[in-house]
Amino acid sequence: MLASVTDPSQSAVRPAQGGARSRTLGLAVYGLGTVGSAAVRILQAGAADLDAQHDLRFSLRHIVVRDPLRPRAVDVDPVLLTTDWARPLDDPTVGIVVELMGGLEPAGEVVRRALRAGKHVITANKALIAADGAALEALAEAHGVTLRYEASVGGAIPLIHTLQGTLVGNRITRVMGILNGTTNFILTRMADDGVTFAAALADAQARGFAEADPTADVSGLDAAQKLVILARHAFGRWVSADCVEREGIEGISAEQVASARAAGEVYKLVAEAVLDGGTMRFRVAPRRLAANHALAQVRDEYNAVQVEGDFAGSLTFIGRGAGGEPTGSAVYDDLVASARARVGGVRTGGVRGGRAGAP
Ligand SMILES: NC(=O)c1ccc[n+]([C@@H]2O[C@H](COP(=O)([O-])OP(=O)(O)OC[C@H]3O[C@@H](n4cnc5c(N)ncnc54)[C@H](OP(=O)(O)O)[C@@H]3O)[C@@H](O)[C@H]2O)c1
């Protein structure tokens, strides 16, 4: 049982109607950029419902940023802003740390220290989780807390929650999808407008769908990291992103896209993890799909994932795969799940509880 009134990471405890004990959970948010600002806005918007429906309140205690003077896309009390990333970790009233800075360090150190300090951690950081997920999960387990990262894959689409909590009678044999919105936007523009890769990339950058350095997206690395995270929850095993055979979309020409179109096909950057007997195979590569394939119809910055279970058959999930609000929505799901687990004393998170996948 996790929840306890003596737990140092649970702060103020106030009596609720009916004699039950209700709780206010202290939060530290690391990063107030695209995702951080949206997550805090969603937190503010959801506060009344959370209180009314679950008798829970979040209290934002610290927000860590690089530049406290930068204008923000959300109204927050400026006294919460700090550049000192170590300080919130020493605050015993902080029970949940939300890491939305990105990058391997100092994000990794923040997550490790938070877990060691007995704080639940939520992150959207696919690079960190793909690189170090196994060790971080073990650390969380050792300290009796949860590590959640729904927002690291597929934006708003609840993929990890679904794999953890449903389809439990199934052995998952395949996960296949479009996991990178930037490349999907580029390929959609190339197909619709007949433009080159370079022109479609420039369009994506102008609209904020691609970063100034798009290498991780267009090379397939970002999709490979997400595939590793999904495989963990589909097959029950961590593998390195190096196990993913990977090809990006940089080499696709306007002529190739036009020829696919003439044949009734479209190019998509497809990530696929397959469990075949005792063998797992991972691949991210551009593929020509028939225009009526479910993934072929996923356009622009949208993501889609097909999950195949041996009894359930194929299920397809489609949604906004990136951007502040879709990703912030997934962060908020994890926040509420962490808070409910803490109050209810229920350990959730971790790997799916159904039939074992990989050997
Ligand atoms: N953007 C998306 O659509 C999306 C989707 C899924 C997952 N993610 C993941 O979400 C995470 C955040 O992405 P983002 O797009 O929100 O990034 P972002 O807009 O660049 O925001 C990063 C935030 O972290 C702060 N920060 C960065 N390094 C810091 C440091 N060393 N010390 C203190 N503060 C630091 C920045 O502070 P300043 O503002 O002061 O510079 C900024 O507020 C990443 O792991 C990313 O992979 C993003």
Coordinates of all heavy atoms in Angstrom, one line a residue, residues 12 39 88 121 140 179 198 259 277:
A12 N -0.3 18.9 2.7 CA -1.4 19.2 3.5 C -2.5 18.1 3.4 O -2.9 17.7 2.3 CB -2.0 20.5 3.1
A39 N 0.4 21.8 -20.2 CA 0.1 20.9 -19.0 C -0.4 21.7 -17.8 O -1.4 21.4 -17.2 CB 1.3 20.1 -18.6
P88 N 13.7 22.0 -5.7 CA 12.4 21.3 -5.5 C 12.5 19.9 -5.1 O 11.6 19.3 -4.4 CB 11.7 21.4 -6.9 CG 12.4 22.5 -7.6 CD 13.8 22.5 -7.1
V121 N 7.2 10.3 -10.5 CA 7.7 11.1 -11.6 C 6.8 10.9 -12.9 O 6.4 9.7 -13.2 CB 9.2 10.7 -11.9 CG1 9.6 11.4 -13.2 CG2 10.1 11.1 -10.8
A140 N 12.4 3.4 -9.6 CA 11.1 3.7 -9.1 C 10.6 2.5 -8.2 O 10.1 2.7 -7.1 CB 10.1 3.9 -10.2
L179 N 4.4 7.2 -35.9 CA 4.7 7.7 -34.5 C 5.4 9.1 -34.6 O 5.7 9.6 -33.5 CB 5.7 6.7 -33.8 CG 5.1 5.3 -33.6 CD1 6.2 4.5 -32.9 CD2 3.9 5.4 -32.7
A198 N 12.8 19.0 -49.3 CA 13.3 20.3 -48.7 C 12.2 21.3 -48.5 O 12.1 22.0 -47.5 CB 14.4 20.8 -49.5
S259 N 5.2 8.7 -58.2 CA 5.0 7.4 -58.8 C 4.2 6.5 -57.9 O 3.3 5.7 -58.4 CB 6.4 6.8 -59.1 OG 6.5 5.5 -58.7
G277 N 7.0 -15.8 -32.6 CA 7.5 -16.9 -31.8 C 8.3 -16.3 -30.6 O 7.8 -15.5 -29.9

